[in-house]
Amino acid sequence: GLIQSLRQISLHPGLFDGKGFDPSDSARFAAMIEVLDRVKKLAEKALVFIESLEIQSANQLPLLLQRRYSLEQAPMVINGAVGTAERQKRVDSFQSSSAGFDVMLLSPKAGGVGLTLTAANHVIHLSRWWNPAVEDQCSDRAHRIGQTRDVHVYYPMAIDPVHPDHSFDLKLNELMSRKDRKSTRLNSSHV
């Protein structure tokens, strides 16, 4: 429970203390906005993986992004509540849209398997998943046959400027890197 609370606080303090969602209260959200500002200037598309269903809800992050980037409609969301037919409809719409800049929000579990989203070439892991293989599957949504551009993957982190070595995001990243190296060693030994 403590680790889950630390994950929530690190993503956005309002998720833990119930004070509400203000993106300026989160270093990770600020980093995501910086990335999305660059993606918009390039007229490219991005996938944002975020676990929190609360932040994925229509009046939270989708509305914020729609307003900030003057989008005709709020970014589409794919999570476990989206049925198979609707999921494919959203994927097809995202893939076929020639509007230039666009962003889609995905839950790591629902968006990490079986989707091809090569219209995007920027992947932001706003909230980290415990398993590096799941994150790799999420990033692979843009790394598919048909991708014609370099894919950029981002892991925004909240680092305490006073105690950077003790920041939760840094410790989680180190843990994920160790797990990923271990997984790579195990996989390569079977080749």
Side-chain angles (χ1 to χ4, degrees), residues 108-130:
K109 286 297 255 188
V113 180
L115 300 177
T116 297
L117 294 161
T118 54
N121 64 317
H122 298 269
V123 178
I124 302 169
H125 292 277
L126 190 56
S127 57
R128 303 294 303 268
W129 197 256
W130 293 111

Side-chain angles (χ1 to χ4, degrees), residues 14-186:
L15 293 175
F16 183 76
D17 64 17
K19 291 184 179 176
F21 173 74
D22 181 348
S24 65
D25 290 340
S26 168
R28 277 203 245 164
F29 278 84
M32 175 196 64
I33 293 296
E34 284 180 31
V35 170
L36 290 176
D37 286 351
R38 290 193 308 268
V39 173
K40 179 164 176 53
K41 285 181 186 174
L42 295 169
E44 295 178 342
K45 295 182 181 184
L47 306 175
V48 176
F49 286 92
I50 180 165
E51 187 179 359
S52 169
L53 296 178
E54 179 183 344
I55 292 178
Q56 291 176 16
S57 70
N59 64 343
Q60 298 289 346
L61 187 55
L63 182 61
L64 170 93
L65 296 175
Q66 181 181 15
R67 288 179 178 166
R68 180 173 182 89
Y69 298 110
S70 303
L71 299 171
E72 287 184 31
Q73 62 182 15
M76 290 178 279
V77 175
I78 293 181
N79 58 35
V82 178
T84 305
E86 180 61 24
R87 179 183 311 219
Q88 191 57 52
K89 183 178 168 185
R90 292 177 188 188
V91 167
D92 293 344
S93 176
F94 186 80
Q95 286 289 101
S96 64
S97 170
S98 60
F101 174 75
D102 200 359
V103 60
M104 180 181 274
L105 307 175
L106 302 104
S107 168
K109 286 297 255 188
V113 180
L115 300 177
T116 297
L117 294 161
T118 54
N121 64 317
H122 298 269
V123 178
I124 302 169
H125 292 277
L126 190 56
S127 57
R128 303 294 303 268
W129 197 256
W130 293 111
N131 184 341
V134 171
E135 286 187 344
D136 290 345
Q137 289 174 345
C138 292
S139 297
D140 286 347
R141 300 312 97 210
H143 279 284
R144 293 283 199 191
I145 293 173
Q147 180 58 267
T148 59
R149 296 164 292 168
D150 290 338
V151 175
H152 307 276
V153 179
Y154 308 89
Y155 299 92
M157 291 194 288
I159 306 295
D160 184 339
V162 178
H163 305 287
D165 294 340
H166 301 291
S167 297
F168 178 79
D169 283 359
L170 186 62
K171 297 295 183 188
L172 179 58
N173 190 59
E174 290 170 359
L175 172 67
M176 299 286 284
S177 295
R178 281 195 311 271
K179 287 174 82 175
D180 198 30
R181 283 193 303 273
K182 186 183 238 182
S183 171
T184 302
R185 278 197 308 270
L186 290 173

